[in-house]
Amino acid sequence: VCRANLPTPALVLDLDRLEANLDRMAEHVRACGKSLRPHAKTHKCPEIARRQVARGAIGISVATVAEAEAMVAAGLPGVLLTSPIVDQPKIDRMVTLKARGGDVLLAVGHPFEADRLDEAAGAAGVTLDILLDLDVGDRRTGVPVGKPALALARRLAEARHLRLIGVQAYSGLSSHVVGHDDRRRHSHQTLAPAVDLLDQLRRWGLDARILSVASTGTYDIDAELPGVTELQCGSYVFLDQDYQRIGSRRGDRFADFTPSLTVLATVINAQPGLDWVLVDAGIKAFATDVAALPEVVGRPDLLYKRRGDEFGQLFPAQPGAPLPEIGDRLEFTIPHCDPTVNLYDRIHAVRGDRVEAVWPITARREFPPLTS
Amino acid sequence: VCRANLPTPALVLDLDRLEANLDRMAEHVRACGKSLRPHAKTHKCPEIARRQVARGAIGISVATVAEAEAMVAAGLPGVLLTSPIVDQPKIDRMVTLKARGGDVLLAVGHPFEADRLDEAAGAAGVTLDILLDLDVGDRRTGVPVGKPALALARRLAEARHLRLIGVQAYSGLSSHVVGHDDRRRHSHQTLAPAVDLLDQLRRWGLDARILSVASTGTYDIDAELPGVTELQCGSYVFLDQDYQRIGSRRGDRFADFTPSLTVLATVINAQPGLDWVLVDAGIKAFATDVAALPEVVGRPDLLYKRRGDEFGQLFPAQPGAPLPEIGDRLEFTIPHCDPTVNLYDRIHAVRGDRVEAVWPITARREFPPLTS
């Protein structure tokens, strides 16, 4: 199949660029002496996770139980659930994964979850590996620093069917701080309590072997911290527009990785004499949670506007810019990769013009999977 | 299964409310002497389409070829593809549906599409029923009014394997005009050229039996126009927040239909002493294309904030509002239904606390469907 014949809108992944990104991150963690447990919430795709592990990643981070199930089913090691779960069915599903030999661990930031996991693990006769999830300022998941964190650490250490083996400290607020120096300052300051907590756990004689941190935005920044053992970076595989604007050690654009994912669309209306054309990629083709809009690859003289679920409109950015014709195929950059991937069932993996493979976005699904 | 035990985030449909909405619209079109071909892009769910047809709808409008295939496969009649298609595979899929006995028609707004459909229909030995898609001001799909529309009408009428049977004129810009009087003025003015075009087609002796128009916002407004034969309203089945704000003939809230769709979520973090809690419903649970934010059903004293793909944060709207506890289940209103439904695989159809059925959102899928 040829790239230009895909049914549109289609998610298209450039394999040369993907592989360059994977190689670059693998080389980075090797050079820093850190481990990599990349976050699969970005791609939700076991085929990409396999390529990450083949290049040395020690495991895969996931955001949902369905993602954990998909990654374990694909035979991937070290699957870390980074989000809390509190309802019994999800607790049971994670315990079942473990009982069936799945290599899973969980980040836990609340005694409620600790108690439920402990009880379910005991009932199933398994011991669950746990990271204490520390809230370093995101105000999302995790236990606050200080006394609550120490109390939770004690509770996790004493739980009979849990094994505390470290700390997770994710600073989403640091990830998109613009400017490398500011981002470095923000992240190092934010993560200091996590390093302290890990030291405290060790002073208590606990097996605190893991400190899991970092986004793609702080992949080189957090690797400088001696206490950090592993990085959870996810977006580097695709590098969306939202990351490119944050700058890097080298300049105003974050060009340490290369954008590899695009959306292919078709011009479906173009009437003579009008100053716009319509493409078949709208709200269902691009997640709308960030301010940036998609851009046409190779056509900076065109502007995109959302026009509903199925449609986008293209205008000339400057007078006289030639408009595409009906039936033309265009590729668009992606403002925010994770929720955009979530809109699709499959990734078309291309090398040049050739579609080499179609990869199901297996971990997108709800549970239990529906049969079509 | 009990509503409270669903894996969250879950899309929950109140059947009593759905049925009241379906009954109300069926009664409305009956009283007006119009037909209803409700738009399935709202629900993408054959089970709901069946209930619409069972109450007298003459067919189902769809926005994509995959939606058309799903509705035809479910045995639904009068499936109107309201969006243009120009690439050969999609043209071929629609022709295949027709050749296999599917009851389909297409809205066509460009000679390019007309020619390709005519050729493909001829090759397959079928005749395709066509509505001329008139752009009445949306600047999305369709041919401009005036000479381009008349020229396209001629071309469609002369195409050997197409049968022009009317006009589609959808005014998306009218649908959300706030205030019933302003909306009425906007829609009637916008649709006037469509009524004129239909008259012209009849003067030419063409079989112009259909004028298909209307959104949920203009369901009662467009039904007043004598030339209109059928309504394409879709959102009335769920009635999202974005529609409630437009007002109706009766007042400032559009309360002609009742909100029937919610998202069930779980409180997954709630630390003592903090003024917020976290729920497991974020960007992946609610489409983010409109400004309105989800609201907690029955708890106007709580405010929701998006906190990433998987998370939302709840704050007190007034000091002292009690926060939910960890593990609590909450239901949220939906800012914009169509793209939110697109994020899920299934609709949980509930009656009171009981989950009566789980309906696959079959028409959401890409083509060909992936096997899980």
Side-chain angles (χ1 to χ4, degrees):
Chain A
V1 179
C2 173
R3 178 179 193 145
N5 289 338
L6 294 171
T8 57
L11 206 52
V12 174
L13 177 60
D14 185 297
L15 284 173
D16 291 336
R17 290 175 166 222
L18 170 75
E19 289 161 8
N21 290 341
L22 298 178
D23 289 342
R24 172 148 207 161
M25 183 63 86
E27 176 52 36
H28 165 70
V29 296
R30 202 152 35 225
C32 298
K34 306 295 186 189
S35 298
L36 180 65
R37 199 188 306 266
H39 215 302
K41 71 178 178 175
T42 299
H43 54 67
K44 303 170 181 66
C45 177
E47 290 290 343
I48 296 177
R50 278 198 195 106
R51 283 160 176 78
Q52 292 173 312
V53 168
R55 282 166 176 80
I58 59 165
I60 296 292
S61 299
V62 297
T64 69
V65 177
E67 287 176 16
E69 289 165 335
M71 295 301 156
V72 168
L76 289 157
V79 175
L80 166 63
L81 179 61
T82 61
S83 302
I85 50 172
V86 301
D87 58 302
Q88 201 58 46
K90 284 182 183 164
I91 298 270
D92 292 342
R93 283 158 64 189
M94 287 305 294
V95 168
T96 299
L97 278 182
K98 179 74 181 181
R100 292 187 183 159
D103 181 10
V104 298
L105 54 167
L106 297 94
V108 174
H110 198 289
F112 182 96
E113 183 180 1
D115 293 351
R116 289 201 155 188
L117 284 170
D118 187 36
E119 190 182 315
V126 298
T127 300
L128 292 171
D129 286 333
I130 303 292
L131 303 185
L132 181 146
D133 186 17
L134 187 68
D135 181 357
V136 289
D138 274 14
R139 293 159 59 91
R140 298 199 303 190
T141 73
V143 64
V145 299
K147 280 185 185 167
L150 294 173
L152 179 61
R154 289 269 181 214
R155 191 149 175 169
L156 289 167
E158 286 161 11
R160 287 192 52 198
H161 310 286
L162 306 182
R163 186 169 61 144
L164 179 63
I165 57 171
V167 172
Q168 166 179 280
Y170 182 76
S171 177
L173 293 182
S174 303
S175 65
H176 285 73
V177 172
V178 174
H180 195 269
D181 288 348
D182 286 347
R183 194 159 66 252
R184 183 169 187 272
R185 207 171 301 121
H186 190 285
S187 191
H188 285 191
Q189 193 173 344
T190 302
L191 292 182
V195 175
D196 292 348
L197 176 63
L198 208 76
D199 288 343
Q200 180 62 54
L201 298 186
R202 287 176 182 152
R203 280 196 297 275
W204 284 347
L206 296 175
D207 167 17
R209 71 182 87 159
I210 293 176
L211 177 53
S212 186
V213 304
S215 61
T216 290
T218 59
Y219 85 105
D220 54 343
I221 288 167
D222 295 349
E224 296 171 349
L225 292 171
V228 164
T229 65
E230 63 178 56
L231 308 179
Q232 293 187 2
C233 315
S235 297
Y236 73 98
V237 296
F238 300 146
L239 203 72
D240 56 29
Q241 286 167 248
D242 207 37
Y243 259 125
Q244 289 170 65
R245 67 177 173 78
I246 68 168
S248 76
R249 204 184 288 271
R250 293 169 198 82
D252 283 348
R253 296 289 281 179
F254 183 77
D256 302 25
F257 302 93
T258 308
S260 63
L261 195 70
T262 53
V263 168
L264 181 73
T266 302
V267 175
I268 55 170
N269 201 12
Q271 302 283 344
L274 300 187
D275 66 343
W276 56 270
V277 301
L278 195 78
V279 294
D280 60 355
I283 296 167
K284 284 171 56 182
F286 302 104
T288 60
D289 60 303
V290 296
L293 289 170
E295 295 164 9
V296 185
V297 175
R299 291 296 309 269
D301 55 344
L302 297 176
L303 293 179
Y304 173 92
K305 190 178 171 187
R306 285 194 288 271
R307 290 306 310 279
D309 287 21
E310 318 286 348
F311 306 130
Q313 211 171 7
L314 291 179
F315 299 89
Q318 305 108 25
L323 285 168
E325 296 183 3
I326 193 159
D328 282 359
R329 296 272 169 134
L330 302 168
E331 280 188 49
F332 289 81
T333 60
I334 293 177
H336 188 189
C337 56
D338 302 24
T340 296
V341 171
N342 188 55
L343 297 169
Y344 292 84
D345 294 333
R346 70 197 70 188
I347 293 172
H348 302 92
V350 305
R351 187 121 25 212
D353 276 342
R354 197 172 145 262
V355 179
E356 258 193 31
V358 179
W359 292 338
I361 304 171
T362 318
R364 182 207 157 274
R365 68 162 199 267
E366 292 183 72
F367 179 89
L370 284 165
T371 51
S372 54
Chain B
V1 179
C2 174
R3 178 179 192 145
N5 290 337
L6 294 171
T8 57
L11 206 52
V12 174
L13 176 60
D14 185 297
L15 284 173
D16 290 337
R17 290 175 165 218
L18 170 74
E19 290 162 6
N21 290 341
L22 297 177
D23 289 343
R24 170 147 208 163
M25 183 63 86
E27 175 52 37
H28 165 70
V29 294
R30 206 156 30 231
C32 298
K34 307 294 186 189
S35 298
L36 180 66
R37 198 186 309 264
H39 215 302
K41 71 177 177 176
T42 300
H43 53 67
K44 303 169 182 65
C45 177
E47 289 291 340
I48 296 177
R50 279 199 193 104
R51 283 159 175 79
Q52 292 174 312
V53 169
R55 282 165 176 82
I58 59 164
I60 295 292
S61 299
V62 297
T64 69
V65 177
E67 287 175 18
E69 289 165 335
M71 295 302 156
V72 168
L76 289 158
V79 175
L80 166 63
L81 179 61
T82 61
S83 302
I85 49 173
V86 301
D87 58 302
Q88 201 58 47
K90 284 183 183 164
I91 298 268
D92 292 341
R93 283 157 65 189
M94 288 305 294
V95 168
T96 299
L97 278 182
K98 180 73 181 185
R100 292 185 183 160
D103 182 9
V104 298
L105 53 167
L106 297 94
V108 174
H110 199 290
F112 183 96
E113 183 180 0
D115 293 350
R116 288 202 156 188
L117 283 170
D118 188 35
E119 190 182 316
V126 299
T127 299
L128 292 170
D129 286 333
I130 303 291
L131 302 184
L132 182 146
D133 186 17
L134 188 68
D135 181 356
V136 288
D138 274 13
R139 294 160 58 93
R140 298 199 303 191
T141 73
V143 63
V145 299
K147 280 185 185 168
L150 294 174
L152 179 62
R154 288 271 181 211
R155 190 148 174 171
L156 288 167
E158 286 161 12
R160 288 191 53 196
H161 309 285
L162 306 181
R163 187 169 60 146
L164 178 64
I165 58 171
V167 172
Q168 166 179 281
Y170 182 75
S171 178
L173 293 182
S174 303
S175 65
H176 285 73
V177 172
V178 174
H180 195 269
D181 288 349
D182 286 347
R183 195 159 65 251
R184 183 169 187 273
R185 206 171 303 119
H186 190 285
S187 191
H188 284 191
Q189 193 173 344
T190 302
L191 292 182
V195 176
D196 291 347
L197 176 62
L198 208 76
D199 289 343
Q200 180 62 53
L201 298 186
R202 286 174 183 154
R203 279 195 298 273
W204 284 347
L206 298 174
D207 167 16
R209 72 182 85 162
I210 293 177
L211 177 53
S212 185
V213 304
S215 61
T216 291
T218 59
Y219 86 103
D220 55 343
I221 287 167
D222 295 348
E224 296 170 351
L225 292 171
V228 164
T229 65
E230 63 179 54
L231 308 179
Q232 292 188 1
C233 316
S235 298
Y236 72 98
V237 296
F238 300 145
L239 203 70
D240 56 30
Q241 285 167 248
D242 207 38
Y243 259 125
Q244 288 169 65
R245 66 178 174 79
I246 67 169
S248 76
R249 204 183 289 271
R250 295 169 196 82
D252 283 349
R253 295 289 282 178
F254 184 78
D256 302 27
F257 302 93
T258 307
S260 63
L261 194 70
T262 53
V263 168
L264 182 73
T266 302
V267 176
I268 54 171
N269 200 12
Q271 301 283 344
L274 299 187
D275 66 344
W276 57 270
V277 300
L278 195 78
V279 295
D280 60 355
I283 295 167
K284 284 171 56 181
F286 303 104
T288 60
D289 60 303
V290 296
L293 289 169
E295 295 165 9
V296 185
V297 175
R299 291 294 310 269
D301 55 344
L302 296 176
L303 293 179
Y304 173 90
K305 189 176 171 187
R306 285 195 287 271
R307 291 305 311 278
D309 287 22
E310 318 286 348
F311 306 131
Q313 211 171 7
L314 291 178
F315 299 88
Q318 305 109 26
L323 285 168
E325 295 181 5
I326 194 161
D328 281 359
R329 296 272 170 135
L330 302 169
E331 281 189 48
F332 290 81
T333 60
I334 292 177
H336 188 191
C337 55
D338 302 23
T340 295
V341 171
N342 188 55
L343 297 169
Y344 293 84
D345 294 333
R346 69 198 71 188
I347 294 171
H348 302 92
V350 306
R351 184 115 37 209
D353 277 340
R354 198 173 144 261
V355 179
E356 258 193 31
V358 179
W359 293 339
I361 304 172
T362 317
R364 181 207 157 276
R365 69 163 197 266
E366 292 182 71
F367 180 87
L370 284 166
T371 51
S372 54

